Amino acid sequence: MKRHFRILVGATVGLTLTPAPLPALWRDAQPLAAPVILAQAQSSEEEELLRRKKRKGAKRDEQRTPQAERPAQRERAKRPAAREREAIKRRAAEPEPAITEERQKRRKEREAAMRRPENAARLFDSAKEKPVRRKPGGAEPDQPARARAERLPESDAAAQARASRDPVQIGSVISEEGRRIERPRRERPEVPEGAELVREVNNRFIFRTDNTYFIERPREERVIIDAREVYYEELPRSRQREVVVRPDGTRIVTIRNRWGDVVRRVKILPDDREIVLVYVEDDYYDEVLEWRDPGLDLPPLDLDIPVRDYILDAEWVEDPEDYHTFLDQPPVEQVERTYSLDEVRRSARIRDKVRRIDLDIINFEFGSAQIPESEIGKLEGVAEAMQRLLKENPGETFLIEGHTDAVGAEVANLALSDQRAEAVATALTNVFDIAPENMETQGYGEQYLKVETQEPERENRRVAIRRITPLVAPVASSE
């Protein structure tokens, strides 16, 4: 009978394709077998499915833990967030190590310091200056004052967008023929119109212009240190070219106008590639016969950013990487044109375009410009940041500023601050190999106090560093 069922199954399946070939057999079997055959066909499929489920269930049973452990596991799996919260609460309740307490203390002190005290001076140096006496017929600002600064530039190139609309073709700095001359004797700098020589202190000359004092000195001395050769050439329009040859063949070429202002400086590498450090149209200087602050043509600077994004206090730096991140940031507003080093040094409004680092961690002896040996190591973090930036772009230029508190004579403080800025730059060169041509120094005495007080104040006795590259060199030529 089983054999007939199998045949009938085949015949039944065949009915869907062809007519049944055995009608008699079908009539004999239909009353009893047909329902059974259909039931057997359904049972086969279900049995196969059941066998598969049993095999899978057996594998799961092998992997399962004992029944007593499963509820606890399911409970922990359902509440990972609650378990993590409980762990955090337990850690918070435990006594913290002393080092963590010290870090928390420093963090609170830093946050308190970032909240400017009531006697804090104005944020921008240009806002701290005395009013300038304008002469009859003097130039007035070309732009109206604005309530808020424009959107912060996202890069140096974006900051120079206005200046680069009509790019200047920069030829080789050594292409112009010159006549070799003896080293010029600069016993003292020229006194332009509008300035008065007040005093000479240690080969430094203090001038008074408008309501402020300013200090000048021969600046080529630092650049020619360790030079293999130095020679000078006379160029048309009363300009001079100075060429400093380093032991490795690198040449530092500086062109000065008739007043001694640096209008162009280029570093020529041993492979003859020229890297522009400073570039300004020298025709501009031929037309100006007096010291004039280019910042007078600009409206007051007004930024809507936190103080910590504009000034970095070295005292509160915990990660040396902060120095590099901060110095690498672009100016805080547009740069109308490239300026000379002298314009940047003399104009607080132009300097305000770039951020600054206050190195208030260097402790000078009272009335001294010498850096104690124990203090030099504190420069390592910012020196490494400068080295990294110079490796990325050898055309970087940094301004080292010296500042004092308001105790003592104003002229004496001016000379002392300039000596301290020079001392920091010298240490960066001698100890950390920062090339002297990549740094410019200037002392400002007590003109730009950080804390408004006439009493001794450590925060006012500081050295500051700014990356002024986007102010003095076209970005395309320096990258």
Side-chain angles (χ1 to χ4, degrees), residues 140-173:
E140 294 294 332
D142 295 333
Q143 301 178 12
R146 57 179 179 267
R148 289 291 180 188
E150 300 174 356
R151 182 179 179 181
L152 294 180
E154 297 180 354
S155 65
D156 289 355
Q160 288 189 359
R162 292 178 181 173
S164 60
R165 289 175 182 173
D166 299 317
V168 178
Q169 296 296 328
I170 302 178
S172 174
V173 73

Side-chain angles (χ1 to χ4, degrees), residues 183-190 201-207 213-227 230 232 240 242 244 246 252-257 259-265 277-278 291 340-347 351 397-402 414-415 417-423 425-426 429 435-445 447 468:
R183 179 179 179 179
R185 295 185 60 187
R186 295 190 179 93
E187 296 182 355
R188 74 177 190 180
E190 296 284 346
V201 181
N202 297 330
N203 201 30
R204 286 171 165 80
F205 306 90
I206 298 177
F207 296 90
Y213 290 96
F214 194 80
I215 191 166
E216 278 284 3
R217 69 181 183 283
R219 299 181 179 275
E220 60 268 22
E221 297 299 331
R222 290 186 54 254
V223 179
I224 65 177
I225 294 176
D226 297 332
V230 181
Y232 301 86
Q240 292 179 350
E242 174 191 81
V244 178
R246 302 273 190 231
I252 310 301
V253 182
T254 303
I255 296 179
R256 293 181 173 85
N257 66 4
W259 300 117
D261 297 340
V262 175
V263 295
R264 193 166 177 189
R265 176 169 285 162
L277 301 175
V278 178
W291 286 356
S340 73
L341 291 175
D342 297 274
E343 285 180 307
V344 174
R345 290 189 297 106
R346 296 169 186 164
S347 175
R351 293 193 304 276
T397 300
F398 303 93
L399 177 63
I400 315 298
E401 304 176 3
L414 189 61
S417 66
D418 196 62
Q419 293 170 349
R420 288 176 172 175
E422 183 76 9
T426 300
T429 296
E437 63 269 14
N438 293 106
M439 291 184 289
E440 187 71 11
T441 63
Q442 185 63 45
Y444 296 103
Q447 296 181 54
I468 62 173

Side-chain angles (χ1 to χ4, degrees), residues 311-315 356-360 450 462-465:
I311 301 174
L312 178 64
D313 284 308
E315 183 180 5
R356 78 169 191 252
I357 295 177
D358 281 347
L359 291 177
D360 44 13
K450 192 172 182 178
R462 68 194 190 281
V463 172
I465 297 180

